[in-house]
């Protein structure tokens, strides 16, 4: 680990010598930083895979998933608050998710999310010079999860979430008009592990721990989005509410 940290320090020093070398060193340093973090971030994924057990248990889980799709699904909706890091800064992502719950085993849904925290970076604008620009990010994420263990009102779930969306920089001209630049697409995979507590029959509170792994990034934005993720979700079981009060 000491050798890796020394390498990062050396690369930071070398950045000052050449613009081309600066870009190369920045990419290598980001890669090293990501590898250091992944040592910790991948633990939730590994734990969730180990939790599913042996080959025989895998077969049992697959049978359980198949049987759940034979049941009548119940609709649900939930508000999502996700805390993670972007370039070592703590940020909050908000979102809404909706879908169907199959026999309290499998959830299939879709979510819409947006970056709530303001992240600024310097941007050199022709004729205006250096201005403060803010990162904007919105994405759609199909959500699939499997509940492999539960006891009374507690449910342990393996969510498998991937998403794709648009990120960009926005700034204001001297006349106050907002301008968007450097827009691009991104995609990510977010494995993890969640624990849900259900109360009053129709509501649930879920906490999750996972890792956001960027599969494609907007290279025009100098931010590191690969990060550990902490999620808090408030869930309403609309299907059961409808059946109870119709």
């Amino acid at each position: 680990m000491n050798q890796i940290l020394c390498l990062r320090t050396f690369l930071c020093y070398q950045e000052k010598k050449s613009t081309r070398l600066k870009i190369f060193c920045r990419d290598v340093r980001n890669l090293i930083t990501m590898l250091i973090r992944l040592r910790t971030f991948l633990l939730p994924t590994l734990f969730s895979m180990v939790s599913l057990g042996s080959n025989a248990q895998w077969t049992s889980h697959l049978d359980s998933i198949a049987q759940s799709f034979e049941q009548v699904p119940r609709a649900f909706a939930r508000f999502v608050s996700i805390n993670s890091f972007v370039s070592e800064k703590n940020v909050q992502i908000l979102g809404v998710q909706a879908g169907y719950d199959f026999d309290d085993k499998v959830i299939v849904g879709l979510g819409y999310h947006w970056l709530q925290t303001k992240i600024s970076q310097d941007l050199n604008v022709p004729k205006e010079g250096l201005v403060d620009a803010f990162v904007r990010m919105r994405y759609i994420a199909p959500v699939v999860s499997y509940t492999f263990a539960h006891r009374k009102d507690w449910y342990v779930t393996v969510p498998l979430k991937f998403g794709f969306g648009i990120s960009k920089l926005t700034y204001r001209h001297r006349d106050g008009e907002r301008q968007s630049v450097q827009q691009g697409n991104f995609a990510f995979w977010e494995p993890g592990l969640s624990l849900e507590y259900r109360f009053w029959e129709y509501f649930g509170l879920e906490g999750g721990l996972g890792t956001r792994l960027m599969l494609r990034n907007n290279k025009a934005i100098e931010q590191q989005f690969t990060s550990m993720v902490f999620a808090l979700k408030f869930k309403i079981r609309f299907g059961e509410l409808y059946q109870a009060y119709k």
Side-chain angles (χ1 to χ4, degrees), residues 83-232:
N83 290 285
S84 63
F85 298 91
V86 174
S87 298
E88 301 182 356
K89 179 180 180 180
N90 186 21
V91 301
Q92 183 183 44
I93 296 173
L94 300 181
V96 290
Q97 298 177 350
Y100 291 98
D101 187 332
F102 293 85
D103 197 29
D104 290 332
K105 286 288 185 181
V106 179
I107 284 178
V108 178
L110 185 67
Y112 175 73
H113 308 77
W114 61 92
L115 179 64
Q116 182 70 13
T117 305
K118 288 186 177 181
I119 303 175
S120 63
Q121 70 178 57
D122 293 335
L123 178 67
N124 192 6
V125 179
K127 299 182 180 180
E128 294 195 26
L130 208 60
V131 300
D132 286 332
F134 294 92
V135 178
R136 306 294 183 189
M137 182 177 74
R138 299 176 184 271
Y139 64 88
I140 295 175
V143 180
V144 178
S145 66
Y146 170 59
T147 299
F148 66 91
H150 73 89
R151 184 176 181 180
K152 294 184 179 180
D153 296 324
W154 295 91
Y155 293 77
V156 184
T157 302
V158 177
L160 178 60
K161 186 172 77 174
F162 60 94
F164 49 91
I166 295 174
S167 60
K168 60 184 178 181
L169 294 177
T170 63
Y171 70 95
R172 290 191 180 276
H173 287 293
R174 293 173 180 173
D175 58 7
E177 182 182 355
R178 177 178 292 180
Q179 179 71 31
S180 298
V181 295
Q182 298 184 356
Q183 179 171 304
N185 300 322
F186 67 88
F188 67 90
W189 174 44
E190 195 174 285
L193 192 67
S194 296
L195 178 65
E196 179 185 355
Y197 175 70
R198 298 181 182 178
F199 57 97
W200 296 343
E201 297 184 38
Y202 314 115
F203 304 97
L205 188 63
E206 181 179 336
L209 176 66
T211 307
R212 185 197 305 120
L213 302 173
M214 301 303 295
L215 305 177
R216 174 185 174 85
N217 211 344
N218 180 0
K219 296 182 179 179
I221 297 179
E222 298 178 356
Q223 304 289 341
Q224 177 61 259
F225 288 95
T226 293
S227 168
M228 196 171 188
V229 175
F230 307 90
L232 185 64

Side-chain angles (χ1 to χ4, degrees), residues 11-73:
L11 291 173
C12 291
Y13 171 76
Q14 292 297 323
E15 284 184 2
K16 301 178 181 179
K17 294 186 175 181
S18 165
T19 302
R20 183 175 299 178
L21 183 60
K22 178 179 179 180
I23 296 175
F24 172 77
C25 291
R26 183 198 66 192
D27 294 340
V28 173
R29 190 179 71 250
N30 289 339
L31 177 61
I32 293 174
T33 301
M34 183 184 69
L35 292 175
I36 293 174
R37 291 178 175 178
L38 285 180
R39 183 183 60 178
T40 301
F41 297 160
L42 287 179
L43 288 179
T45 306
L46 296 176
F47 177 71
S48 63
M49 294 178 65
V50 171
S51 299
L52 294 178
S54 62
N55 290 336
Q57 290 174 315
W58 271 96
T59 302
S60 176
H61 290 309
L62 291 175
D63 292 340
S64 177
I65 292 173
Q67 292 173 6
S68 68
F69 283 115
E70 297 176 359
Q71 308 300 316
V72 178

Side-chain angles (χ1 to χ4, degrees), residues 200-203 236-246:
W200 296 343
E201 297 184 38
Y202 314 115
F203 304 97
I236 303 176
R237 304 167 68 83
F238 284 108
E240 295 183 6
L241 274 173
Y242 174 77
Q243 293 296 328
Y245 295 99
K246 70 176 180 178

